[in-house]
Amino acid sequence: MDRVPVLKLGDVLLVSIQVDLADKTTVQLEEDLSERIVATGARGVIIDISALDIVDSFVGRMLATIAAISRVLDAETVVVGMRPAVAITLVELGLSLHGIQTALNVERALEVLSRARDDDWIPPLDTEDDTAPAAP
Amino acid sequence: MTGDPGEEAQTQAVVSDQDVVRVRQLVRTAAVTAKLSLVDQTKVVTAASELARNTLVYGGGGSVQVRVVRQRRSGVRVELADDGPGIGDLELALTDGYTTGGGLGLGLSGARRLVDEFEIDTAPGRGTRISIVKWAR
Amino acid sequence: MALSTDESRRMADRLRTDSADLVATWVAKAGAPLTGRLSEGELRRQITELYGVLVAALDEGMTDLSAAPGGELRAVLADLSRGRARQGFSATETAVSVFTLKDALSGRADLADPAELRDFLSFNRFIDELGLFTFSSYSAAREELIADQAEQLLELSTPVVKLWEGVVAVPLVGTLDSARAQVVMERLLQALVDTGSPYAIIDITGVPAVDTQVAQHILKTVVAARLMGAECLISGIRPQIAQTIVALGIEFGDIATKATLADALRHVLRRSAARTGGRAEPVA
């Protein structure tokens, strides 16, 4: 059975689907990704589907599930590179992939993820300020 | 040359999830031969994928026939057949979001929206036969 | 069947006797109605080629244009018709190049001889068949031409323009039918990929009316763009169209609509500034 490779880039996992997905491969990817998110402590997942010439409801559901799982594991999922014909077909099929973030390409997806992290950013607690007396 | 039943019928048995992939490839090739636009190719391949998975999951396997049809326009006809339990309430099965298999419930209803012609012949205990056609614009 | 096998042989013989003179007469007669719009050299080349394949086909005992030995002849005739159709000649002007073979032949037949008259009538019938074939290939070529032009017009009427770095727009002008709306949709989405633009604006200032189907197409485009990771705005909705949209009960949902293209562009620029600026140079 084919297995889709999962690459780690810093705290982001990158999955580039290059084969016509059989259903078992799709399910396998779901499992692999959940494990890798926990094992690597990844904060973001990018799924590149630019090589897929169709996305049917099975693959659509996989994308939604991965997004939901990664959210539970505190990671953000971005689906990138959907082809126009695929997008038009998905709309017609009635699949709007609610709750899934999308980006045009991997570069944009990295921007989206880093923005999400900026929002999380908390200024370091400046303990000195608290303790130092307001010296005249 | 004018024979309307079409030509080059290809048959693919559907007994595993790999066969669903093969059905997609057969339909893609036929759609290219029938000169469908890229979007229409994508639509008919997606519809065939949904229906072939239904044949596998609900029909317990079956067979798919793919052919290029030429009438006034050219097109692709995909016929799926299984000897599974059949569908009792067809209207309900064609409703968006209705599922008995834990899916999204978009297989039948979604596939119907993606093609130009959609015929279904089914009854409990008699299996299911579905025929879809997508014409070149 | 236009000719018997014997007749086709006799016709080949007839064409072969003094062939140079026959071709010259044929070229002269065929050239007259074209009034110099086709160079004589070009016409001579076409007629000579036609003559060559005609004699070859007759030698093979062709009795009917649609039969197997006529394959090359059909191809040459179809080529001739297509060429003339593209050059703007009329159907008559095209077919006359074939029919003038009759004139060229009649000058050399002794029509007082009953046998020769019979042959000549058969040849005529056969040449008619060639002419009719030319007519039908001509009209097929014209139809192709018209379909091509309609498609080109469709593309011309839906330009996708790059408005700003990362922003593409389609200004729609004129009536939108379902076919055109679909073309717009596909081209706009492809432009997003090609230019890597995360924003698209559909401006419908120039659209006089929107029906349910067209509105649906626009909505689908917006949703499809979202699936691809881009945001799509609609600008230039005129009051009547806004009324129709509400009257038809079409849900625009959370789709951003702006009064003018300028408003839409400003909105997009502000948003993308907030995106990149928020990180690079935090607001003091």
Side-chain angles (χ1 to χ4, degrees), chain C residues 104-115:
Chain C
L105 278 175
S106 72
R108 19 170 72 207
D110 179 7
L111 298 181
D113 178 351

Side-chain angles (χ1 to χ4, degrees), chain C residues 3 10 15-16 23 31 33 41 57 70 75 94 100 107 137-138 146 171 182 268:
Chain C
L3 292 174
R10 282 206 293 280
L15 287 171
R16 243 191 308 267
V23 170
T94 305
T100 43
S137 347
Y138 175 90
I146 291 167
Q182 208 146 342
V268 165

